[in-house]
Amino acid sequence: MATLTLIEAVTLAMEHELARDKDVVLLGEDVGLNGGVFRATDGLQEKFGVDRVIDTPLAEAMIAGLSVGMAGQGMKPVAEMQFMGFVFPAFNQIATAAARMRNRTRGRLSMPLVFRMPYGGGIHAPEHHSESTEALFAHLPGLRVVIPSNPSRAYGLLLAAIRDPDPVIFLEPKRIYRIEKHEIEDDGEAYPLDTCFIDREGDDITLVSWGAMMHETLKAADKLSEDGISAEVIDVATISPLDSATILDSVEKTGRCVVIQEAPRAGGIASEIAAEIAEKGLLSLLAPVCRVAGYDTIMPYARMEGQYMPSVERITDEVQKVMQFK
Amino acid sequence: MATLTLIEAVTLAMEHELARDKDVVLLGEDVGLNGGVFRATDGLQEKFGVDRVIDTPLAEAMIAGLSVGMAGQGMKPVAEMQFMGFVFPAFNQIATAAARMRNRTRGRLSMPLVFRMPYGGGIHAPEHHSESTEALFAHLPGLRVVIPSNPSRAYGLLLAAIRDPDPVIFLEPKRIYRIEKHEIEDDGEAYPLDTCFIDREGDDITLVSWGAMMHETLKAADKLSEDGISAEVIDVATISPLDSATILDSVEKTGRCVVIQEAPRAGGIASEIAAEIAEKGLLSLLAPVCRVAGYDTIMPYARMEGQYMPSVERITDEVQKVMQFK
Amino acid sequence: MRTSASFEIKYLQYLDEKAKPANDLPDFAKDPKILIQLYKDMQFVRILDKRTVALQRIGKMHTYPASLGQEAVGVGSGSSLQEGDVLIPYYRGTATMIAKGIKPHEILQYWGGDERGSDYKDKNCKEDFPIAVPIATQMLHAAGVATAIKLRKQKGRAVLTEIGEGGTSEGEFYEALNVAGVWDLPLVFIINNNQWAISVPTELQTRAETFAQKGIAAGIECLQVDGNDVIAVKDATTRALDKARTGGGPTVIEAICYRLSDHTTADDASRYNDPKVHEDAWKKEPIKRLQDYLLASGGALAEELESAEEECKALVEKEIQIYLKFMEEDHQPPEAMFDYLFAELPERTRVQRDEAIRRGSK
Amino acid sequence: MRTSASFEIKYLQYLDEKAKPANDLPDFAKDPKILIQLYKDMQFVRILDKRTVALQRIGKMHTYPASLGQEAVGVGSGSSLQEGDVLIPYYRGTATMIAKGIKPHEILQYWGGDERGSDYKDKNCKEDFPIAVPIATQMLHAAGVATAIKLRKQKGRAVLTEIGEGGTSEGEFYEALNVAGVWDLPLVFIINNNQWAISVPTELQTRAETFAQKGIAAGIECLQVDGNDVIAVKDATTRALDKARTGGGPTVIEAICYRLSDHTTADDASRYNDPKVHEDAWKKEPIKRLQDYLLASGGALAEELESAEEECKALVEKEIQIYLKFMEEDHQPPEAMFDYLFAELPERTRVQRDEAIRRGSK
Ligand SMILES: Cc1ncc(C[n+]2csc(CCOP(=O)(O)OP(=O)(O)O)c2C)c(N)n1
Ligand SMILES: Cc1ncc(C[n+]2csc(CCOP(=O)(O)OP(=O)(O)O)c2C)c(N)n1
Ligand SMILES: [Mg+2]
Ligand SMILES: [Mg+2]
């Protein structure tokens, strides 16, 4: 049993799979000797060799396209995009090849690959290093999109992602890479990729979030409980395909829901969740389904990012509004 | 006054702007002598010369990146992506450069450019030629995303798009390129880019759609009126930034809403619209907000595409369900 | 100034435009049986194309890209493949695909709008990729397959991929060349230079004197061949594949030919091409070239070639009939839209699947 | 086999590694005043970098990419620009940007996390692009700016853009080269080959013997220069820009140098580099090279160079103070997040803007 941060749990899951399955290979920019710019692959090249942990030339479309080709041969590439802001050159390969190969060949070729990437704001990184564009992937059929919110989930979900026979976009909220530690046993137990986690039970309102925003959300729930508001908190974790059932069940119980996301509001996952509730849970609703989200503007640079990102206060304010709704 | 199809109206708008404003240039694959694979630029190179209507090498990132550079010099590039399915290589330039330049330079450089592309299914085109991924653009702050649903709107909205000082993604529903004709006067009158069109007034339910699906939606409204259901029909037209107010006003009146989109259901524009209603229009609702959408799977090839796309029947079925909701 | 590097692009041709040997023929070409087979393979594709275009005109086929004039590129390269090799085709790869073992009716099913056309049934083709429509994406898949072969130290396997000359303007093309070079991948890139990218001629596509030299950017071997000379194409490809199979790394081959057809059945080349140039190109076309050589060299008699052509017609007809029967009788059920998306059907898709089945059965 | 094309890559150097003239110096380099100015410009950047890295260590700067060892590339190329030229920089373009006229404190503001740093105030820099972080995207912007210049038939204007050698693996790099070639654009591409792309050495980046030869793929002129020799960089860039301004088309210049710093302040190069190689590289560094030459040739006295250095320190300090004051006193209001997104604020954003203002003023 080790006490690990989220990023260390990511490393451990990869190490576990590299050791267990010889078809697993890691590839990406600076993942070798350097161990990745965030050190997610630290020490792995040394342990498994340059044929298992591969420094690629600097080209994201290439990293994705290579992964597609390797997967076509039954390998299980786990590719790192250095930052989510740099995945766009690979979008073509992800959307037109990785997400579709099984369907296009009627099951003849499958794509057991993972694209890992750090994402989100809050670490005062340079321009283009802080965005949250998970919704873009979630709209593409054929992909699973998975986001851990703590070390244990990073370990269990990444194991599941690597073992999954289909392409998984694995988004790592870099702001919480080192924010907390969990006791993790390296037992190879994967988590399910099709169910939300209920992190706290409550009766008055359902708070739904994922990734780094889970921390603000849980803090908000703490604050709210001081005011006598009992919030149920759900970590979506796999944002696509979405497990609406767990969310709808909770809203049926609480009658109220606020969805919290860091990404811009328009067309985000929060909208999808709200739409599901509006369609299938309307009768349970005692108040509007509200979204606390990033603003519909470009993520500001470091000096102003704090004003952009949803805060505990924005969440509790919104919840209070919803609670007072009549 | 001429009687024009949607694609002819597109051509006319470009011709009008080429003549009016010497900074406007068209560029893309096969847009010159060939007049574009759908003939949207037919005859324009002959009229305006190879310096105004430019055949590019075959590279979408390049087309987008060139447009960004040209716009930086105050030109007004109107670039054609041959099909929306081939825009992905350009996604990086659109998301990281075009959408952001004004903001990044605090207004010093602006991006008065348009990316036109045919989109959507229903013409038995080859693989990758039939998708509807408008939601991907609509989630990116800094872009306007505009979709005409008939010839007059194609003319008026494209004029507006070309004149707009910011980047516009102009999506042309190719299935209805030649489905109907409108009388259009080439008067240079642009349409607003910030308001939905109310195409039919009604009292019982609001139907919201855009692009080619407007035709199914209007047909459905006809059918429904035979059954005594009076549907208000809204063409969103500019899906981003979304004019929620018009939709919310209508729902306030009717109390019911079905949103119709061709794109896959999860994370589409229909979800955003439903979320807006769930948040701001809850009290008006007499029934759940429902979405009729493409399935969450890869657009099938020609033989099965008919089973994928939302039909008039799917719309009327859904409306009946909503009307009967208690 | 000192010179830090220098390069040459060679041009390979065995049969010149008058079908006269311009060079000592390679060994395989001294065997008339082999040449007659190449002749047949080219005829087969030409006849198949003609039939398919005709099917499109009567509504029994959707948009289809013919290979007219480019048969030598596909046949010459495809016939160089061996068991264990992997083909990553592009949309105009019909001849190469058939040479690899992919069934002609499967290719027709694909263009006829049925996904099952890419579920190749030949045991030799189980690892081949489906046709890549998004241009240049296939280059990187080929590099990935070659990477897997290399990482697994599989001897004697190579990868072949193709692209049009227009496609070389896409960034992913260069990215693939670059990684193939730096990782020394067992990979052969064929650039089918048919002079046109739909309506765009090569002069508007690049300033490079040759398309082959794009390989110099990646530090890999590159050469030009006469793409109307099936012997040259086959010889160059065979050698490049052998090199790849034995650890010698990648090669770029530009095969120069001419697109004698429209781009696809949805295109009208008369809008942009020069009939004079087109006519000249007909004089160099690959089937006539080989036929002239076979007749002049005594490798085959006119009657032999005629009967070979008849044989091809019959074979094509058989494939066409399989295709037509399939299109008439064999439809995918609605659930096929969902059942290959993931290995396991997610809940949200299950609900939609049920709806599609319900609507489909009405 | 006949040869269809052949190519050479030349290497340009004026001062060799011992600072001895290896070639007849170009005219500008015969004027010590010009050389001393180049010396100062290089010193300025080196001192600025050092100060900025120090600021980062005390929390007054965010991630910053220094140019240590690469000053000649930026100064040599940037100082060749004239009024009317446009610069499309990359993130390690500090020296080039300053040479162009962009204010050092603006560059610091950008890296300090303030958008206003890209709102260049110098009238000569109004059309220059902001730093491109997504690698290689700037290549295409440069091609676009050059296209506008060409289409408008503006005489005497050229565009300069830069990229790291690692960035040449990105597809957009080649796409830009290709279009620059085929449209004969007034454009100069500088490849700053500092041997590293973060931790990835050139051997893992490409098999090409030179980065310059990537230009061959596009059929455009390309050459290598000694990137530690500011005279060579300036000479090559000046000639390439002149060529571009007079309708002669594009050029690719690979400038070979060495990254003596960490990749950025967020990097630790000792994890991957070889101290021995690093040490060797210090012997070739550009400032010492020019200094040695100036002293040996009598172009400058040691005291002159020392006082030049002092002058630079003072100038740097001024810029640092402007920056620090700005960071302390000058904050953007919340509405700045919204006010530059579109020329006209959309309704949905107006509502959010109001919320941000309300929250910001609490
Ligand atoms: C990424 C992408 N962009 C555009 C297209 C549309 N398109 C199909 S074929 C073609 C021309 C290709 O020319 P070339 O590469 O020379 O191949 P050829 O068709 O001549 O064999 C274009 C532009 C596409 N399929 N994919
Ligand atoms: C598209 C993209 N991918 C990845 C990165 C992250 N990144 C920043 S610098 C760098 C290495 C660049 O090396 P090189 O091009 O040689 O330039 P240098 O930093 O050495 O000047 C990487 C991978 C990025 N900024 N953009
Ligand atoms: Mg071609
Ligand atoms: Mg470098």
Side-chain angles (χ1 to χ4, degrees), chain B residues 30 34 39 42 57-60 82 124 127-128 266 295-297 300-304 307 313-314 317, chain C residues 62 110 113-115 166 169-170 197-199 205 271 326-327 330-331 333-334 337 341 348 352 355 359 362:
Chain B
D30 303 289
N34 197 33
R39 309 288 175 255
D42 199 14
L58 204 176
E60 291 76 14
Q82 203 157 74
H124 291 137
E127 202 187 355
H128 298 289
Y295 298 119
D296 287 311
T297 190
Y301 299 178
R303 283 186 94 188
M304 286 186 78
Q307 299 196 51
E313 191 190 301
R314 274 181 68 194
D317 285 1
Chain C
H62 297 301
Y110 175 83
D114 197 301
E115 286 82 355
S169 296
E170 291 278 5
I198 309 186
S199 71
Q205 198 65 249
R271 288 177 68 90
F326 174 88
M327 292 300 276
D330 194 348
H331 292 270
M337 278 192 281
L341 189 65
R348 79 168 175 211
Q352 298 179 7
E355 178 180 350
R359 295 200 173 270
K362 273 209 274 194

Side-chain angles (χ1 to χ4, degrees), chain C residues 125-197:
Chain C
C125 301
K126 289 288 173 198
E127 299 175 33
D128 295 337
F129 269 45
I131 286 167
V133 167
I135 288 177
T137 54
Q138 75 274 20
M139 301 277 105
L140 286 166
H141 306 157
V145 170
T147 299
I149 289 172
K150 171 119 187 172
L151 288 174
R152 287 169 165 171
K153 303 188 173 38
Q154 296 170 338
K155 294 271 175 272
R157 300 187 73 195
V159 182
L160 181 76
T161 189
E162 303 170 277
I163 192 168
E165 92 293 340
T168 68
S169 296
E170 291 278 5
E172 297 190 22
F173 165 78
Y174 299 94
E175 293 185 5
L177 259 55
N178 187 57
V179 72
V182 71
W183 291 355
D184 218 18
L185 298 177
L187 178 49
V188 179
F189 298 97
I190 307 278
I191 300 172
N192 176 335
N193 177 1
N194 66 4
Q195 315 294 328
W196 294 100

Side-chain angles (χ1 to χ4, degrees), chain A residues 30 34 39 42 57-60 124 127-128 265-266 295-297 300-304 307 313-314 317, chain D residues 62 110 113-115 169-170 197-199 205 271 326-327 330-331 333-334 337 341 348 352 355 359 362:
Chain A
D30 303 288
N34 197 34
R39 308 287 175 255
D42 199 12
L58 203 176
E60 292 74 15
H124 291 137
E127 203 187 354
H128 298 291
R265 175 182 168 94
Y295 299 119
D296 287 311
T297 189
Y301 299 177
R303 285 186 91 187
M304 286 186 80
Q307 301 196 51
E313 190 189 303
R314 273 181 69 195
D317 284 1
Chain D
H62 297 301
Y110 175 83
D114 197 301
E115 285 82 355
S169 295
E170 292 277 7
I198 309 188
S199 71
Q205 199 64 248
R271 289 178 66 90
F326 174 87
M327 292 301 275
D330 194 348
H331 293 270
M337 280 193 278
L341 189 65
R348 77 167 175 212
Q352 298 178 8
E355 177 179 351
R359 294 201 174 269
K362 271 210 272 194

Side-chain angles (χ1 to χ4, degrees), chain D residues 4 22 33 35 79 82 84 102 107 154 202 215 219 225 279 281 289 308:
Chain D
S4 30
K33 278 212 291 295
L35 294 186
S79 69
Q82 296 179 357
I102 295 166
I107 300 172
Q154 295 169 339
T202 55
V225 304
E279 216 170 274
R289 174 103 42 113

